[in-house]
Amino acid sequence: MLTDTALPVGWHYLRNAAVERQDNRSADGGSFLRFQVRTINDPGRALQGMALDGRRIDQIRLSARVRGVTITRPSDSHSGPAVVITFYDRRRAAIQSERLGPWGRDFDWQRVERTIDVPLATREAIVRVGLLGAAGTLDIDEVRLVVLENP
């Protein structure tokens, strides 16, 4: 969530990130979060943690609006600009990670989304957004995690 402050509310460990307020340049014409990194493997990220109980929630929909400019990904095919959710068990051990992305090069605003199964053992989750090892500029807006109703 973006407000009138310089940093987004509820996001932590921000690195190489800034809120941009340029009319008609975001997905909805308002504010968005911009990550800019000049060197591959420099940090460019933000994290948000939450309680998420896999005994009660079977699926989520993770979505965002993203735009990239001059993105260069590292040689590791799994690294690069993305929205990543990692599920943790009751001991805070990682169970698995799922992602939207990674993306490369230049692309205009686009909506990305994915329906993800929540592992039964999940008790917490962390969402990471950003360049995640890549260089360039990533703009991100409207990050949403929606709990889908159990069938």
Side-chain angles (χ1 to χ4, degrees):
M1 178 171 147
L2 301 178
T3 63
D4 291 334
T5 65
L7 299 174
V9 174
W11 291 90
H12 306 282
Y13 302 105
L14 273 82
R15 300 293 183 269
N16 296 310
V19 174
E20 295 288 326
R21 291 177 181 79
Q22 299 173 359
D23 291 339
N24 300 321
R25 293 200 55 200
S26 78
D28 64 0
S31 300
F32 58 94
L33 192 58
R34 172 169 283 169
F35 297 93
Q36 285 188 302
V37 172
R38 293 182 184 201
T39 307
I40 287 179
N41 291 325
D42 278 355
R45 68 175 183 271
L47 285 75
Q48 187 174 90
M50 69 205 72
L52 186 65
D53 192 336
R55 297 169 296 186
R56 296 193 169 112
I57 298 169
D58 291 331
Q59 288 186 319
I60 58 170
R61 181 174 300 116
L62 185 60
S63 65
R65 300 236 340 138
V66 295
R67 174 176 61 181
V69 179
T70 324
I71 293 174
T72 304
R73 290 178 44 201
S75 57
D76 172 6
S77 64
H78 298 292
S79 297
V83 177
V84 179
I85 185 165
T86 303
F87 301 102
Y88 297 88
D89 67 14
R90 63 182 175 80
R91 296 174 296 126
R92 292 194 174 149
I95 300 170
Q96 74 184 51
S97 293
E98 300 291 338
R99 70 179 53 229
L100 304 174
W103 309 286
R105 300 276 182 206
D106 300 294
F107 57 94
D108 203 359
W109 283 110
Q110 61 181 293
R111 180 175 174 74
V112 292
E113 72 177 0
R114 185 169 166 209
T115 298
I116 299 169
D117 292 331
V118 176
L120 183 63
T122 300
R123 298 301 176 268
E124 296 180 32
I126 292 177
V127 174
R128 290 179 289 145
V129 300
L131 286 161
L132 308 178
T137 301
L138 177 70
D139 297 333
I140 190 159
D141 199 5
E142 300 176 18
V143 176
R144 293 195 172 105
L145 186 150
V146 177
V147 173
L148 301 179
E149 294 297 319
N150 292 337

